[in-house]
Amino acid sequence: MEYLIEGGKPLKGELHVYGAKNCALALLGATVLTDDEVILTNCPDIVDVENMLKLLSAMGKTVTRTDSTVSVKGALTSTCAPVALATLLRGSALILGGTLARHGEVTLPVPGGCAIGARPMDIHLCGFEALGATVTQSDNSVNCRGKLVGARYTLRMPSVGATENLLCACALAKGDSVLKNCATEPEVAALEQMLVQMGAKIRGAGGSELHIEGVSKLHGTQFFVIPDRIVAATYLAGAAATLGDVTVTDCVPQHLGGILDLFRPRFDVFVEENSVRLRAVGKPRGYGTVQTAPYPAFPTDMQSLLLSLAACSVGKTVIRETLFENRLAHNAEQLNKMGAQIEICGDVATVVGANLHGACVEAKDLRGGAGLVIAALAADGVSKVGGVRHIERGYIDLGGCFAELGAKISKNPFI
Ligand code: EPZ
């Protein structure tokens, strides 16, 4: 599948922001902690979530979806995640902590997901060992087993997935646990809230130090998936790239701090309780020096959006990617085909803004694909963006949404 995009059309209008992929995946991973029904509302209908639901179903859960409401219930009949599904997304790793805590064993093939770096799982696995589990790794899978006992564990770095897995593990461990240097992303905080609703005893929710008192059982609940801050940022980036005027609704502006700080000096930005409007007032100057880092700093998932915006600004931008070792070069190469002036040195991209022109480019990962669409919307002339399957893992019809705002964009299903 590829997009055909004729750039240069200022985007105007309003778009609704749906539930966050990375929140939904964490919450779905936690459903293994109980046989009771867990209902998620505002759950996005995207490929990664659908594959996560298939994974849970293959392990024994009864899964149903009605529009954006998903129900997961029943007992696991297997503690082994099927290879065919687990290798499709990184989110499959998020069944580890809960399955181990609830059933004393779990086996997971090496998870899939965006090829943006090595993405080891040492922090997850060392945490499980600290809780008393025995971890056995082979080339393509990991097995963890044992009765979990509360412990104190400091994460080597604030890994989002490791924090989520260890939270689920500690929730049902015997005794008290203290987790330090935890991730504080909104999606992690949402998981903490849902676990408390399920009966978990967690103190420090939203912070980097979590105190968890293990309980013997967790019950079902209903939970609203928080709006996707990366989708909101993507829509606003479309407005910024095309010098348009776009409002995103049903979002949480506080979750967008990292990118709004960059937008405010360059565009008219209007923030309401659940919406953000960006109105261009002319081609923006370069974005200075920006470094990705864990929340609340500028998020790595917005880095490819910024790379594209920098490429079509007036002036210089330096972007340092500190979280993933392979998340800059590919998009830089693709954008340079469009006339961008990007030089990569290690984990740093130096960008001098230029007028972009249409080209044939290929997405190799989810957020990189969104970044290429943003650049194509800004470019003069027609672009082809291949690898749309990567984009559809995390966005609901990104092309169609931009078309609603006036973009000349169509899908070529025969590619
Ligand atoms: C989550 O991935 C997100 N995915 C990613 O979003 C996001 O980019 C990332 O967090 C950072 O915010 C989901 O939530 C499904 P990490 P995760 O563990 O948990 C290293 C998207 O496009 N690390 O915080 O895998 C790791 O290699 C995706 O929506 C270890 O070294 O990210 C990376 O360099 C892409 N050992 C850094 O930490 C470990 O055990 C951050 O990884 C774990 C991680």
Side-chain angles (χ1 to χ4, degrees), residues 21-22 25 90-91 94 114 116 118-124 156-162 164 185 300-301 323-325 327 366-367:
K21 167 178 84 81
N22 293 345
L25 292 174
R90 177 74 179 184
L94 299 175
C114 292
I116 51 180
R119 305 187 83 174
M121 295 195 63
D122 60 296
I123 303 172
H124 303 242
R156 164 169 76 78
M157 61 171 298
S159 156
V160 170
E164 291 163 345
E185 274 69 2
T300 176
D301 287 353
L323 284 167
F324 290 104
E325 61 273 28
R327 202 173 199 179
L366 163 54
R367 307 303 175 186

PDB file of all heavy atoms in Angstrom, residues 21-22 25 90-91 94 114 116 118-124 156-162 164 185 300-301 323-325 327 366-367, ligand 1:
ATOM      1  N   LYS A  21      -2.535   4.281  21.155  1.00  0.00           N
ATOM      2  CA  LYS A  21      -2.037   2.913  20.920  1.00  0.00           C
ATOM      3  C   LYS A  21      -1.250   2.429  22.130  1.00  0.00           C
ATOM      4  O   LYS A  21      -1.493   1.330  22.641  1.00  0.00           O
ATOM      5  CB  LYS A  21      -1.137   2.895  19.691  1.00  0.00           C
ATOM      6  CG  LYS A  21      -0.318   1.620  19.524  1.00  0.00           C
ATOM      7  CD  LYS A  21       0.535   1.606  18.287  1.00  0.00           C
ATOM      8  CE  LYS A  21       1.839   2.303  18.466  1.00  0.00           C
ATOM      9  NZ  LYS A  21       2.888   1.518  19.131  1.00  0.00           N
ATOM     10  N   ASN A  22      -0.301   3.252  22.594  1.00  0.00           N
ATOM     11  CA  ASN A  22       0.618   2.771  23.633  1.00  0.00           C
ATOM     12  C   ASN A  22      -0.027   2.700  25.009  1.00  0.00           C
ATOM     13  O   ASN A  22       0.513   2.076  25.911  1.00  0.00           O
ATOM     14  CB  ASN A  22       1.883   3.624  23.651  1.00  0.00           C
ATOM     15  CG  ASN A  22       2.686   3.422  22.372  1.00  0.00           C
ATOM     16  OD1 ASN A  22       2.445   2.473  21.623  1.00  0.00           O
ATOM     17  ND2 ASN A  22       3.610   4.323  22.106  1.00  0.00           N
ATOM     18  N   LEU A  25      -2.327  -0.783  24.491  1.00  0.00           N
ATOM     19  CA  LEU A  25      -1.512  -2.009  24.532  1.00  0.00           C
ATOM     20  C   LEU A  25      -1.117  -2.355  25.969  1.00  0.00           C
ATOM     21  O   LEU A  25      -1.155  -3.518  26.384  1.00  0.00           O
ATOM     22  CB  LEU A  25      -0.282  -1.853  23.650  1.00  0.00           C
ATOM     23  CG  LEU A  25      -0.561  -1.766  22.141  1.00  0.00           C
ATOM     24  CD1 LEU A  25       0.723  -1.470  21.370  1.00  0.00           C
ATOM     25  CD2 LEU A  25      -1.222  -3.037  21.622  1.00  0.00           C
ATOM     26  N   ARG A  90       5.702  -4.888  19.298  1.00  0.00           N
ATOM     27  CA  ARG A  90       6.454  -4.796  20.541  1.00  0.00           C
ATOM     28  C   ARG A  90       5.517  -4.972  21.737  1.00  0.00           C
ATOM     29  O   ARG A  90       5.909  -5.481  22.773  1.00  0.00           O
ATOM     30  CB  ARG A  90       7.121  -3.408  20.607  1.00  0.00           C
ATOM     31  CG  ARG A  90       7.881  -3.110  21.879  1.00  0.00           C
ATOM     32  CD  ARG A  90       9.174  -3.841  21.934  1.00  0.00           C
ATOM     33  NE  ARG A  90       9.919  -3.530  23.156  1.00  0.00           N
ATOM     34  CZ  ARG A  90      11.139  -3.992  23.411  1.00  0.00           C
ATOM     35  NH1 ARG A  90      11.733  -4.766  22.537  1.00  0.00           N
ATOM     36  NH2 ARG A  90      11.765  -3.691  24.530  1.00  0.00           N
ATOM     37  N   GLY A  91       4.263  -4.569  21.540  1.00  0.00           N
ATOM     38  CA  GLY A  91       3.298  -4.608  22.637  1.00  0.00           C
ATOM     39  C   GLY A  91       3.064  -6.002  23.184  1.00  0.00           C
ATOM     40  O   GLY A  91       2.616  -6.171  24.314  1.00  0.00           O
ATOM     41  N   LEU A  94       4.088  -6.958  26.625  1.00  0.00           N
ATOM     42  CA  LEU A  94       3.383  -6.422  27.798  1.00  0.00           C
ATOM     43  C   LEU A  94       2.460  -7.444  28.458  1.00  0.00           C
ATOM     44  O   LEU A  94       1.781  -7.119  29.423  1.00  0.00           O
ATOM     45  CB  LEU A  94       2.631  -5.150  27.402  1.00  0.00           C
ATOM     46  CG  LEU A  94       3.546  -4.030  26.902  1.00  0.00           C
ATOM     47  CD1 LEU A  94       2.725  -2.834  26.402  1.00  0.00           C
ATOM     48  CD2 LEU A  94       4.532  -3.591  27.983  1.00  0.00           C
ATOM     49  N   CYS A 114       8.687  -1.777  15.732  1.00  0.00           N
ATOM     50  CA  CYS A 114       9.479  -0.927  14.838  1.00  0.00           C
ATOM     51  C   CYS A 114      10.971  -1.243  14.945  1.00  0.00           C
ATOM     52  O   CYS A 114      11.512  -1.394  16.036  1.00  0.00           O
ATOM     53  CB  CYS A 114       9.244   0.533  15.196  1.00  0.00           C
ATOM     54  SG  CYS A 114       7.567   1.071  14.833  1.00  0.00           S
ATOM     55  N   ILE A 116      13.756   0.210  15.176  1.00  0.00           N
ATOM     56  CA  ILE A 116      14.362   1.519  15.475  1.00  0.00           C
ATOM     57  C   ILE A 116      15.566   1.387  16.401  1.00  0.00           C
ATOM     58  O   ILE A 116      16.105   2.371  16.901  1.00  0.00           O
ATOM     59  CB  ILE A 116      13.306   2.455  16.109  1.00  0.00           C
ATOM     60  CG1 ILE A 116      12.616   1.762  17.292  1.00  0.00           C
ATOM     61  CG2 ILE A 116      12.295   2.905  15.063  1.00  0.00           C
ATOM     62  CD1 ILE A 116      11.563   2.601  17.983  1.00  0.00           C
ATOM     63  N   ALA A 118      18.041  -1.875  18.834  1.00  0.00           N
ATOM     64  CA  ALA A 118      18.163  -3.267  19.308  1.00  0.00           C
ATOM     65  C   ALA A 118      16.985  -3.659  20.187  1.00  0.00           C
ATOM     66  O   ALA A 118      16.527  -4.795  20.202  1.00  0.00           O
ATOM     67  CB  ALA A 118      19.466  -3.397  20.079  1.00  0.00           C
ATOM     68  N   ARG A 119      16.525  -2.731  20.978  1.00  0.00           N
ATOM     69  CA  ARG A 119      15.353  -2.921  21.858  1.00  0.00           C
ATOM     70  C   ARG A 119      15.500  -4.174  22.715  1.00  0.00           C
ATOM     71  O   ARG A 119      14.661  -5.066  22.697  1.00  0.00           O
ATOM     72  CB  ARG A 119      14.071  -2.931  21.047  1.00  0.00           C
ATOM     73  CG  ARG A 119      13.914  -1.689  20.177  1.00  0.00           C
ATOM     74  CD  ARG A 119      12.579  -1.601  19.494  1.00  0.00           C
ATOM     75  NE  ARG A 119      11.567  -1.033  20.396  1.00  0.00           N
ATOM     76  CZ  ARG A 119      10.325  -0.738  19.992  1.00  0.00           C
ATOM     77  NH1 ARG A 119       9.953  -1.002  18.761  1.00  0.00           N
ATOM     78  NH2 ARG A 119       9.453  -0.221  20.859  1.00  0.00           N
ATOM     79  N   PRO A 120      16.576  -4.265  23.492  1.00  0.00           N
ATOM     80  CA  PRO A 120      16.735  -5.421  24.389  1.00  0.00           C
ATOM     81  C   PRO A 120      15.667  -5.412  25.477  1.00  0.00           C
ATOM     82  O   PRO A 120      14.918  -4.441  25.615  1.00  0.00           O
ATOM     83  CB  PRO A 120      18.118  -5.204  24.995  1.00  0.00           C
ATOM     84  CG  PRO A 120      18.355  -3.741  24.907  1.00  0.00           C
ATOM     85  CD  PRO A 120      17.644  -3.287  23.646  1.00  0.00           C
ATOM     86  N   MET A 121      15.615  -6.489  26.273  1.00  0.00           N
ATOM     87  CA  MET A 121      14.602  -6.558  27.342  1.00  0.00           C
ATOM     88  C   MET A 121      15.243  -6.800  28.708  1.00  0.00           C
ATOM     89  O   MET A 121      14.595  -7.276  29.638  1.00  0.00           O
ATOM     90  CB  MET A 121      13.598  -7.646  26.993  1.00  0.00           C
ATOM     91  CG  MET A 121      12.796  -7.319  25.743  1.00  0.00           C
ATOM     92  SD  MET A 121      11.341  -8.356  25.588  1.00  0.00           S
ATOM     93  CE  MET A 121      10.467  -7.855  27.032  1.00  0.00           C
ATOM     94  N   ASP A 122      16.524  -6.453  28.826  1.00  0.00           N
ATOM     95  CA  ASP A 122      17.257  -6.752  30.068  1.00  0.00           C
ATOM     96  C   ASP A 122      16.621  -6.129  31.300  1.00  0.00           C
ATOM     97  O   ASP A 122      16.602  -6.734  32.374  1.00  0.00           O
ATOM     98  CB  ASP A 122      18.708  -6.305  29.929  1.00  0.00           C
ATOM     99  CG  ASP A 122      18.810  -4.810  29.662  1.00  0.00           C
ATOM    100  OD1 ASP A 122      18.335  -4.361  28.600  1.00  0.00           O
ATOM    101  OD2 ASP A 122      19.306  -4.081  30.547  1.00  0.00           O
ATOM    102  N   ILE A 123      16.064  -4.926  31.144  1.00  0.00           N
ATOM    103  CA  ILE A 123      15.497  -4.248  32.325  1.00  0.00           C
ATOM    104  C   ILE A 123      14.251  -4.987  32.811  1.00  0.00           C
ATOM    105  O   ILE A 123      14.060  -5.209  34.015  1.00  0.00           O
ATOM    106  CB  ILE A 123      15.170  -2.772  32.003  1.00  0.00           C
ATOM    107  CG1 ILE A 123      16.426  -2.037  31.508  1.00  0.00           C
ATOM    108  CG2 ILE A 123      14.576  -2.053  33.222  1.00  0.00           C
ATOM    109  CD1 ILE A 123      16.179  -0.638  30.986  1.00  0.00           C
ATOM    110  N   HIS A 124      13.435  -5.433  31.848  1.00  0.00           N
ATOM    111  CA  HIS A 124      12.257  -6.237  32.207  1.00  0.00           C
ATOM    112  C   HIS A 124      12.718  -7.494  32.968  1.00  0.00           C
ATOM    113  O   HIS A 124      12.242  -7.801  34.055  1.00  0.00           O
ATOM    114  CB  HIS A 124      11.509  -6.721  30.961  1.00  0.00           C
ATOM    115  CG  HIS A 124      11.039  -5.674  30.012  1.00  0.00           C
ATOM    116  ND1 HIS A 124       9.711  -5.457  29.708  1.00  0.00           N
ATOM    117  CD2 HIS A 124      11.728  -4.792  29.233  1.00  0.00           C
ATOM    118  CE1 HIS A 124       9.596  -4.491  28.795  1.00  0.00           C
ATOM    119  NE2 HIS A 124      10.806  -4.076  28.500  1.00  0.00           N
ATOM    120  N   ARG A 156      17.467   0.457  35.282  1.00  0.00           N
ATOM    121  CA  ARG A 156      18.731   1.029  34.756  1.00  0.00           C
ATOM    122  C   ARG A 156      18.436   2.315  33.991  1.00  0.00           C
ATOM    123  O   ARG A 156      19.239   3.261  34.016  1.00  0.00           O
ATOM    124  CB  ARG A 156      19.365  -0.028  33.852  1.00  0.00           C
ATOM    125  CG  ARG A 156      20.436   0.434  32.937  1.00  0.00           C
ATOM    126  CD  ARG A 156      21.153  -0.755  32.305  1.00  0.00           C
ATOM    127  NE  ARG A 156      20.371  -1.369  31.249  1.00  0.00           N
ATOM    128  CZ  ARG A 156      20.250  -0.895  30.020  1.00  0.00           C
ATOM    129  NH1 ARG A 156      20.802   0.253  29.714  1.00  0.00           N
ATOM    130  NH2 ARG A 156      19.553  -1.530  29.095  1.00  0.00           N
ATOM    131  N   MET A 157      17.314   2.343  33.303  1.00  0.00           N
ATOM    132  CA  MET A 157      16.826   3.571  32.655  1.00  0.00           C
ATOM    133  C   MET A 157      15.308   3.525  32.679  1.00  0.00           C
ATOM    134  O   MET A 157      14.726   2.443  32.840  1.00  0.00           O
ATOM    135  CB  MET A 157      17.345   3.685  31.227  1.00  0.00           C
ATOM    136  CG  MET A 157      16.922   2.563  30.307  1.00  0.00           C
ATOM    137  SD  MET A 157      17.368   2.926  28.637  1.00  0.00           S
ATOM    138  CE  MET A 157      16.400   4.399  28.385  1.00  0.00           C
ATOM    139  N   PRO A 158      14.620   4.641  32.572  1.00  0.00           N
ATOM    140  CA  PRO A 158      13.161   4.656  32.749  1.00  0.00           C
ATOM    141  C   PRO A 158      12.437   4.073  31.535  1.00  0.00           C
ATOM    142  O   PRO A 158      11.764   4.787  30.790  1.00  0.00           O
ATOM    143  CB  PRO A 158      12.831   6.129  32.954  1.00  0.00           C
ATOM    144  CG  PRO A 158      13.917   6.859  32.252  1.00  0.00           C
ATOM    145  CD  PRO A 158      15.148   6.013  32.387  1.00  0.00           C
ATOM    146  N   SER A 159      12.567   2.758  31.363  1.00  0.00           N
ATOM    147  CA  SER A 159      11.929   2.064  30.235  1.00  0.00           C
ATOM    148  C   SER A 159      10.414   2.038  30.419  1.00  0.00           C
ATOM    149  O   SER A 159       9.923   1.616  31.475  1.00  0.00           O
ATOM    150  CB  SER A 159      12.457   0.628  30.167  1.00  0.00           C
ATOM    151  OG  SER A 159      11.528  -0.223  29.516  1.00  0.00           O
ATOM    152  N   VAL A 160       9.682   2.449  29.388  1.00  0.00           N
ATOM    153  CA  VAL A 160       8.213   2.445  29.443  1.00  0.00           C
ATOM    154  C   VAL A 160       7.703   1.023  29.601  1.00  0.00           C
ATOM    155  O   VAL A 160       6.985   0.703  30.547  1.00  0.00           O
ATOM    156  CB  VAL A 160       7.627   3.106  28.175  1.00  0.00           C
ATOM    157  CG1 VAL A 160       6.124   2.890  28.079  1.00  0.00           C
ATOM    158  CG2 VAL A 160       7.968   4.590  28.148  1.00  0.00           C
ATOM    159  N   GLY A 161       8.101   0.145  28.712  1.00  0.00           N
ATOM    160  CA  GLY A 161       7.593  -1.227  28.747  1.00  0.00           C
ATOM    161  C   GLY A 161       8.005  -1.967  29.999  1.00  0.00           C
ATOM    162  O   GLY A 161       7.204  -2.704  30.594  1.00  0.00           O
ATOM    163  N   ALA A 162       9.243  -1.746  30.445  1.00  0.00           N
ATOM    164  CA  ALA A 162       9.705  -2.447  31.649  1.00  0.00           C
ATOM    165  C   ALA A 162       8.923  -1.966  32.872  1.00  0.00           C
ATOM    166  O   ALA A 162       8.537  -2.768  33.729  1.00  0.00           O
ATOM    167  CB  ALA A 162      11.200  -2.216  31.842  1.00  0.00           C
ATOM    168  N   GLU A 164       5.888  -0.874  32.888  1.00  0.00           N
ATOM    169  CA  GLU A 164       4.533  -1.444  32.776  1.00  0.00           C
ATOM    170  C   GLU A 164       4.520  -2.916  33.153  1.00  0.00           C
ATOM    171  O   GLU A 164       3.657  -3.379  33.917  1.00  0.00           O
ATOM    172  CB  GLU A 164       4.008  -1.221  31.356  1.00  0.00           C
ATOM    173  CG  GLU A 164       3.713   0.250  31.066  1.00  0.00           C
ATOM    174  CD  GLU A 164       3.594   0.589  29.587  1.00  0.00           C
ATOM    175  OE1 GLU A 164       4.001  -0.219  28.725  1.00  0.00           O
ATOM    176  OE2 GLU A 164       3.106   1.708  29.301  1.00  0.00           O
ATOM    177  N   GLU A 185       5.619   8.357  31.607  1.00  0.00           N
ATOM    178  CA  GLU A 185       4.766   8.719  30.477  1.00  0.00           C
ATOM    179  C   GLU A 185       3.296   8.637  30.870  1.00  0.00           C
ATOM    180  O   GLU A 185       2.916   7.790  31.715  1.00  0.00           O
ATOM    181  CB  GLU A 185       5.048   7.787  29.289  1.00  0.00           C
ATOM    182  CG  GLU A 185       6.201   8.197  28.385  1.00  0.00           C
ATOM    183  CD  GLU A 185       7.582   8.081  29.027  1.00  0.00           C
ATOM    184  OE1 GLU A 185       7.678   7.639  30.186  1.00  0.00           O
ATOM    185  OE2 GLU A 185       8.577   8.438  28.373  1.00  0.00           O
ATOM    186  N   THR A 300      10.611  10.829  21.909  1.00  0.00           N
ATOM    187  CA  THR A 300      11.238  10.194  20.733  1.00  0.00           C
ATOM    188  C   THR A 300      10.205   9.885  19.649  1.00  0.00           C
ATOM    189  O   THR A 300      10.524   9.943  18.463  1.00  0.00           O
ATOM    190  CB  THR A 300      11.986   8.910  21.137  1.00  0.00           C
ATOM    191  OG1 THR A 300      12.502   8.279  19.972  1.00  0.00           O
ATOM    192  CG2 THR A 300      11.087   7.925  21.853  1.00  0.00           C
ATOM    193  N   ASP A 301       8.969   9.632  20.043  1.00  0.00           N
ATOM    194  CA  ASP A 301       7.948   9.295  19.044  1.00  0.00           C
ATOM    195  C   ASP A 301       7.538  10.493  18.206  1.00  0.00           C
ATOM    196  O   ASP A 301       6.838  10.333  17.204  1.00  0.00           O
ATOM    197  CB  ASP A 301       6.709   8.687  19.714  1.00  0.00           C
ATOM    198  CG  ASP A 301       6.975   7.268  20.186  1.00  0.00           C
ATOM    199  OD1 ASP A 301       8.054   6.735  19.871  1.00  0.00           O
ATOM    200  OD2 ASP A 301       6.123   6.705  20.886  1.00  0.00           O
ATOM    201  N   LEU A 323      17.257   7.994  22.665  1.00  0.00           N
ATOM    202  CA  LEU A 323      16.624   6.767  23.170  1.00  0.00           C
ATOM    203  C   LEU A 323      16.815   5.565  22.256  1.00  0.00           C
ATOM    204  O   LEU A 323      17.036   4.446  22.727  1.00  0.00           O
ATOM    205  CB  LEU A 323      15.136   7.018  23.418  1.00  0.00           C
ATOM    206  CG  LEU A 323      14.852   7.819  24.691  1.00  0.00           C
ATOM    207  CD1 LEU A 323      13.434   8.312  24.720  1.00  0.00           C
ATOM    208  CD2 LEU A 323      15.149   6.984  25.921  1.00  0.00           C
ATOM    209  N   PHE A 324      16.698   5.759  20.964  1.00  0.00           N
ATOM    210  CA  PHE A 324      16.817   4.624  20.038  1.00  0.00           C
ATOM    211  C   PHE A 324      17.967   4.872  19.073  1.00  0.00           C
ATOM    212  O   PHE A 324      18.073   5.949  18.479  1.00  0.00           O
ATOM    213  CB  PHE A 324      15.503   4.419  19.263  1.00  0.00           C
ATOM    214  CG  PHE A 324      14.381   3.898  20.115  1.00  0.00           C
ATOM    215  CD1 PHE A 324      13.365   4.737  20.542  1.00  0.00           C
ATOM    216  CD2 PHE A 324      14.354   2.569  20.517  1.00  0.00           C
ATOM    217  CE1 PHE A 324      12.331   4.266  21.335  1.00  0.00           C
ATOM    218  CE2 PHE A 324      13.324   2.091  21.325  1.00  0.00           C
ATOM    219  CZ  PHE A 324      12.311   2.939  21.725  1.00  0.00           C
ATOM    220  N   GLU A 325      18.779   3.836  18.913  1.00  0.00           N
ATOM    221  CA  GLU A 325      20.024   4.029  18.160  1.00  0.00           C
ATOM    222  C   GLU A 325      19.820   4.002  16.648  1.00  0.00           C
ATOM    223  O   GLU A 325      20.721   4.280  15.881  1.00  0.00           O
ATOM    224  CB  GLU A 325      21.061   2.981  18.569  1.00  0.00           C
ATOM    225  CG  GLU A 325      20.682   1.522  18.324  1.00  0.00           C
ATOM    226  CD  GLU A 325      19.892   0.913  19.491  1.00  0.00           C
ATOM    227  OE1 GLU A 325      19.189   1.651  20.213  1.00  0.00           O
ATOM    228  OE2 GLU A 325      19.940  -0.330  19.625  1.00  0.00           O
ATOM    229  N   ARG A 327      16.942   5.517  14.763  1.00  0.00           N
ATOM    230  CA  ARG A 327      15.647   6.190  14.533  1.00  0.00           C
ATOM    231  C   ARG A 327      15.808   7.519  13.793  1.00  0.00           C
ATOM    232  O   ARG A 327      14.919   8.344  13.789  1.00  0.00           O
ATOM    233  CB  ARG A 327      14.948   6.408  15.887  1.00  0.00           C
ATOM    234  CG  ARG A 327      13.449   6.572  15.726  1.00  0.00           C
ATOM    235  CD  ARG A 327      12.689   6.620  17.008  1.00  0.00           C
ATOM    236  NE  ARG A 327      11.278   6.326  16.721  1.00  0.00           N
ATOM    237  CZ  ARG A 327      10.313   6.260  17.626  1.00  0.00           C
ATOM    238  NH1 ARG A 327      10.604   6.467  18.898  1.00  0.00           N
ATOM    239  NH2 ARG A 327       9.077   5.980  17.278  1.00  0.00           N
ATOM    240  N   LEU A 366       6.650   2.986  11.976  1.00  0.00           N
ATOM    241  CA  LEU A 366       5.377   3.677  12.201  1.00  0.00           C
ATOM    242  C   LEU A 366       5.497   5.199  12.224  1.00  0.00           C
ATOM    243  O   LEU A 366       4.928   5.920  11.410  1.00  0.00           O
ATOM    244  CB  LEU A 366       4.796   3.147  13.522  1.00  0.00           C
ATOM    245  CG  LEU A 366       3.709   3.878  14.244  1.00  0.00           C
ATOM    246  CD1 LEU A 366       2.525   4.131  13.355  1.00  0.00           C
ATOM    247  CD2 LEU A 366       3.293   3.091  15.471  1.00  0.00           C
ATOM    248  N   ARG A 367       6.279   5.740  13.140  1.00  0.00           N
ATOM    249  CA  ARG A 367       6.344   7.196  13.293  1.00  0.00           C
ATOM    250  C   ARG A 367       7.169   7.798  12.172  1.00  0.00           C
ATOM    251  O   ARG A 367       6.914   8.923  11.739  1.00  0.00           O
ATOM    252  CB  ARG A 367       6.939   7.579  14.649  1.00  0.00           C
ATOM    253  CG  ARG A 367       6.266   6.947  15.830  1.00  0.00           C
ATOM    254  CD  ARG A 367       4.765   7.254  15.913  1.00  0.00           C
ATOM    255  NE  ARG A 367       4.164   6.505  17.035  1.00  0.00           N
ATOM    256  CZ  ARG A 367       2.884   6.472  17.280  1.00  0.00           C
ATOM    257  NH1 ARG A 367       2.049   7.095  16.494  1.00  0.00           N
ATOM    258  NH2 ARG A 367       2.411   5.761  18.285  1.00  0.00           N
TER     259      ARG A 367
HETATM  260  C1  EPZ B   1       7.516   2.292  24.242  1.00  0.00           C
HETATM  261  O1  EPZ B   1       8.439   1.347  23.709  1.00  0.00           O
HETATM  262  C2  EPZ B   1       6.612   2.672  23.082  1.00  0.00           C
HETATM  263  N1  EPZ B   1       5.926   1.489  22.596  1.00  0.00           N
HETATM  264  C3  EPZ B   1       7.444   3.299  21.957  1.00  0.00           C
HETATM  265  O2  EPZ B   1       6.542   3.738  20.954  1.00  0.00           O
HETATM  266  C4  EPZ B   1       8.182   4.511  22.502  1.00  0.00           C
HETATM  267  O3  EPZ B   1       9.026   5.024  21.481  1.00  0.00           O
HETATM  268  C5  EPZ B   1       9.032   4.103  23.706  1.00  0.00           C
HETATM  269  O4  EPZ B   1       8.195   3.465  24.708  1.00  0.00           O
HETATM  270  C6  EPZ B   1       9.729   5.285  24.364  1.00  0.00           C
HETATM  271  O5  EPZ B   1       8.793   6.226  24.766  1.00  0.00           O
HETATM  272  C7  EPZ B   1       4.866   0.994  23.285  1.00  0.00           C
HETATM  273  O6  EPZ B   1       4.480   1.529  24.322  1.00  0.00           O
HETATM  274  C8  EPZ B   1       4.209  -0.215  22.724  1.00  0.00           C
HETATM  275  P1  EPZ B   1      11.484   1.742  26.228  1.00  0.00           P
HETATM  276  P2  EPZ B   1       9.419   0.526  24.700  1.00  0.00           P
HETATM  277  O7  EPZ B   1      11.565   0.445  26.919  1.00  0.00           O
HETATM  278  O8  EPZ B   1       8.721   0.240  25.971  1.00  0.00           O
HETATM  279  C9  EPZ B   1      16.055   0.639  25.913  1.00  0.00           C
HETATM  280  C10 EPZ B   1       5.617   3.816  18.814  1.00  0.00           C
HETATM  281  O9  EPZ B   1       5.978   4.254  17.710  1.00  0.00           O
HETATM  282  N2  EPZ B   1      15.729  -0.551  26.713  1.00  0.00           N
HETATM  283  O10 EPZ B   1      11.097   2.957  26.993  1.00  0.00           O
HETATM  284  O11 EPZ B   1      10.001  -0.586  23.939  1.00  0.00           O
HETATM  285  C11 EPZ B   1      15.459   0.574  24.526  1.00  0.00           C
HETATM  286  O12 EPZ B   1      16.275  -0.178  23.656  1.00  0.00           O
HETATM  287  C12 EPZ B   1       6.594   3.074  19.683  1.00  0.00           C
HETATM  288  O13 EPZ B   1       4.466   3.960  19.290  1.00  0.00           O
HETATM  289  C13 EPZ B   1      16.754  -1.391  27.144  1.00  0.00           C
HETATM  290  O14 EPZ B   1      17.923  -1.146  26.864  1.00  0.00           O
HETATM  291  O15 EPZ B   1      10.531   1.636  24.965  1.00  0.00           O
HETATM  292  C14 EPZ B   1      15.382   2.016  24.136  1.00  0.00           C
HETATM  293  O16 EPZ B   1      16.658   2.402  23.680  1.00  0.00           O
HETATM  294  C15 EPZ B   1       7.980   3.059  19.074  1.00  0.00           C
HETATM  295  N3  EPZ B   1      16.440  -2.490  27.877  1.00  0.00           N
HETATM  296  C16 EPZ B   1      15.084   2.731  25.451  1.00  0.00           C
HETATM  297  O17 EPZ B   1      15.436   1.786  26.486  1.00  0.00           O
HETATM  298  C17 EPZ B   1      15.151  -2.788  28.223  1.00  0.00           C
HETATM  299  O18 EPZ B   1      14.917  -3.791  28.915  1.00  0.00           O
HETATM  300  C18 EPZ B   1      13.632   3.127  25.634  1.00  0.00           C
HETATM  301  O19 EPZ B   1      12.887   1.948  25.495  1.00  0.00           O
HETATM  302  C19 EPZ B   1      14.120  -1.925  27.775  1.00  0.00           C
HETATM  303  C20 EPZ B   1      14.427  -0.812  27.032  1.00  0.00           C
END
